[in-house]
Amino acid sequence: MLDTADAALADLRALVGDAQVLTGEDTARFAKDWTGKWRADPLAVVRPASTAEVSDVVRCAARHGLAIVPVGGNTGLVGGTANQGAVMVSLERMAAIREVRPAARLAVVEGGAILSDIHDAVEAEGLVFPLTFGARQSARVGGFLSTNAGGSNVVRHGPTRGLVLGLEVVLADGRVLDLMSELHKDNSGYDLKDLFIGAEGTLGLITAAVVRLHPKPRHHATALAAVAGLPAALDLLNRLQTASDGAVEAFEYMPRTYMGELARLRPDLRQPFPVGDHAVMIELGGLSRPLDDVLEEVLGDALERGEVLDAMVAQDEAQRRLIWEMREAAAEITFTRLPIVDNDVCLPVDRVEAFIDRMHDELERLSPGAETLIVSHLGDGNVHLTVYPKDDDPAHLDAIREMVEGIVVDLRGSISAEHGIGLSKLATMTRRKDPVALDVMRAVKRALDPDGVMNPGKVVPD
Ligand SMILES: Cc1cc2nc3c(=O)[nH]c(=O)nc-3n(C[C@H](O)[C@H](O)[C@H](O)COP(=O)(O)OP(=O)(O)OC[C@H]3O[C@@H](n4cnc5c(N)ncnc54)[C@H](O)[C@@H]3O)c2cc1C
């Protein structure tokens, strides 16, 4: 008589073939996430090749009472894929870009398609799928939809949710929910697709999507500017929005502590002005006309007012890439030491400074000697704040998290801007999420996944 695990593995192999059920050492690259902070050994990683196979795999795992954990590029930062003994479902064999339809400004993509492959496919048509972030060469459709990822272009295009027209989802009972709409308007009942975007795999497994495309800017104007501080940066952002008719594609704030760490850890990225200044990375995207003049004029005025201290406008693609690399090194330079308390919060844009000031004051009292690293998608009020305390006692780390949350909630911000909840912010959800909202989330979870097999233990605390 086979035990449950062996019986489940035998059934899974019968469904997708022996080679597509990875076990033991073969699961190593899935067992640990990008940060290395979260690891759990799955029973198996299964790699179906079609929606029908995904459905069979989900039914089979559920029948054996096994947890089902969807995994994409495993670049999520909150422990969303860690689950000991689970059946992980990887869609890396379902990575096709099925259609690019320039006239309709949409693409139909499979759940395992890699973000940068979508970029390349639509660029050939003069279009852009405007979601971008440092992990774009690994992150997959199911992963970035399930985390409602943000990134650097949110200031112009909003987060992932607004870039999705349709979805296909395999539910916990194996049924296929076909929401593959190509429509811009559809008021026929509840908007079910939005339930699955940002659900981190707890409500179903996304197997395909219809995504919106936008015209690709033909001209980029990119700069790195040293600024006098946050109010100066915010003023610069708003002036640029007005002067460019809303063409700001990215506006990233990198305070002096960040630029200092960057100089220390990435000396190859040579900074154009003295380390010790706050910096912003700016990119304007002109659809039909160059915007260098607009950028230079606004920067010039700000220089005269003393809000900008110095600036380097990229003269060619190599300089543009250098500026982007300075920003995109953030994840790499953040996860270099322990202990850390990493926060990903969102605030009304005009309260970011109040948040940072209050947080530093309270941190000094709570955790003397703690260091911080901040980098911010300032255009949408998203602050990535990492605290490096001297004391690694878990209770102390949680006290820091609680302090940060308290200020965020007080300023009417959100405890998670773009990375999601996973395992890392469950305590925060319990403490800070509106109890009625939590009840509604639990009701939705029970309705769609009554046996709790889809990525259990994530997002919504018990
Ligand atoms: C260098 C770096 C930079 C980053 N920058 C940003 C940034 O600027 N903005 C931002 O928002 N995020 C950023 N991230 C984190 C970001 O959330 C992830 O990179 C991405 O969104 C997750 O995609 P993934 O395919 O790696 O998903 P995974 O990490 O594999 O999974 C993430 C979650 O989605 C679920 N999931 C995966 N596939 C499916 C599916 N098919 N159906 C249902 N659920 C599924 C998983 O169970 C898990 O809960 C960054 C990460 C790194 C490493």
Side-chain angles (χ1 to χ4, degrees):
M1 173 87 175
L2 296 173
D3 72 12
T4 308
D6 287 338
L9 290 175
D11 286 351
L12 290 167
R13 287 183 180 121
L15 291 173
V16 294
D18 289 3
Q20 306 309 337
V21 180
L22 312 181
T23 55
E25 274 302 295
D26 291 341
T27 65
R29 70 189 167 96
F30 297 94
K32 201 166 68 162
D33 72 346
W34 183 88
T35 65
K37 187 173 160 191
W38 303 97
R39 70 158 301 146
D41 293 311
L43 171 69
V45 179
V46 184
R47 299 188 299 175
S50 66
T51 302
E53 283 192 4
V54 173
S55 164
D56 289 344
V57 166
V58 166
R59 277 201 177 93
C60 174
R63 196 172 60 245
H64 285 281
L66 293 166
I68 300 155
V69 178
V71 60
N74 228 352
T75 66
L77 300 172
V78 292
T81 58
N83 190 313
Q84 190 69 23
V87 173
M88 289 181 108
V89 181
S90 162
L91 301 191
E92 58 191 13
R93 294 171 68 224
M94 295 174 61
I97 293 154
R98 287 186 197 149
E99 277 185 274
V100 178
R101 302 233 305 270
R105 298 265 157 91
L106 64 80
V108 183
V109 294
E110 294 190 342
I114 290 181
L115 179 56
S116 60
D117 289 345
I118 302 177
H119 291 162
D120 294 345
V122 307
E123 192 176 321
E125 304 288 349
L127 296 170
V128 66
F129 178 60
L131 176 70
T132 190
F133 50 82
R136 61 185 163 272
Q137 286 171 334
S138 307
R140 294 176 186 268
V141 168
F144 64 72
L145 261 61
S146 294
T147 51
N148 186 27
S152 301
N153 287 169
V154 170
V155 63
R156 186 162 198 179
H157 297 284
T160 299
R161 198 182 293 282
L163 302 173
V164 181
L165 292 175
L167 276 190
E168 179 186 79
V169 184
V170 173
L171 299 176
D173 61 7
R175 283 182 299 162
V176 178
L177 177 60
D178 181 353
L179 302 170
M180 289 291 276
S181 167
E182 299 176 353
L183 306 175
H184 293 267
K185 289 185 171 179
D186 181 358
N187 276 352
S188 56
Y190 304 145
D191 188 351
L192 296 178
K193 81 175 175 342
D194 271 349
L195 276 180
F196 300 94
I197 301 172
E200 300 180 45
T202 59
L203 299 180
L205 210 149
I206 296 170
T207 45
V210 182
V211 295
R212 277 171 190 254
L213 306 177
H214 289 265
K216 183 176 160 49
R218 286 170 55 204
H219 309 275
H220 285 117
T222 309
L224 187 75
V227 289
L230 254 172
L234 193 52
D235 188 49
L236 182 63
L237 167 64
N238 289 326
R239 286 174 190 269
L240 282 164
Q241 289 286 29
T242 305
S244 69
D245 295 336
V248 177
E249 295 253 319
F251 196 91
E252 303 283 315
Y253 179 63
M254 298 175 280
R256 61 169 65 100
T257 42
Y258 178 89
M259 298 309 276
E261 274 302 271
L262 190 68
R264 192 171 72 80
L265 294 166
R266 293 292 307 271
D268 55 309
L269 302 177
R270 289 175 65 86
Q271 298 183 25
F273 15 78
V275 174
D277 289 335
H278 303 295
V280 290
M281 188 218 117
I282 304 157
E283 183 153 287
L284 308 183
L287 297 182
S288 58
R289 65 182 173 117
L291 293 170
D292 305 72
D293 289 355
V294 173
L295 180 58
E296 280 171 21
E297 194 180 322
V298 174
L299 285 172
D301 288 349
L303 264 165
E304 279 179 22
R305 281 194 308 280
E307 292 186 339
V308 163
L309 311 175
D310 203 346
M312 178 186 95
V313 177
Q315 299 301 312
D316 53 31
E317 187 57 24
Q319 283 189 347
R320 177 177 174 235
R321 286 296 350 138
L322 171 71
I323 294 172
W324 270 99
E325 259 195 86
M326 289 184 189
R327 170 59 184 86
E328 290 191 334
E332 172 194 333
I333 68 174
T334 299
F335 293 96
T336 49
R337 48 189 164 136
L338 292 170
I340 71 170
V341 180
D342 50 323
N343 305 272
D344 156 49
V345 302
C346 195
L347 294 135
V349 178
D350 59 350
R351 294 186 182 160
V352 170
E353 187 183 33
F355 165 71
I356 292 175
D357 288 350
R358 276 178 60 180
M359 180 277 301
H360 275 133
D361 286 351
E362 293 195 27
L363 186 65
E364 189 52 43
R365 278 191 289 279
L366 180 64
S367 186
E371 292 172 47
T372 60
L373 187 71
I374 289 174
V375 61
S376 166
H377 303 296
L378 186 61
D380 44 88
N382 180 182
V383 180
H384 297 307
L385 158 70
T386 309
V387 181
Y388 305 96
K390 300 281 177 234
D391 178 353
D392 66 356
D393 176 21
H396 181 64
L397 303 185
D398 201 47
I400 294 174
R401 205 178 284 288
E402 204 170 347
M403 175 274 287
V404 172
E405 294 160 11
I407 302 171
V408 167
V409 171
D410 195 40
L411 293 172
R412 301 198 63 76
S414 168
I415 52 168
S416 172
E418 58 178 12
H419 294 163
I421 304 301
L423 289 174
S424 74
K425 298 198 181 82
L426 283 175
T428 303
M429 281 288 271
T430 307
R431 286 191 290 253
R432 305 294 177 181
K433 195 74 189 173
D434 171 52
V436 179
L438 281 177
D439 272 355
V440 174
M441 287 185 199
R442 288 188 188 110
V444 171
K445 173 76 176 167
R446 270 197 306 275
L448 290 178
D449 181 17
D451 297 325
V453 293
M454 289 303 308
N455 209 1
K458 314 284 167 53
V459 184
V460 186
D462 289 336

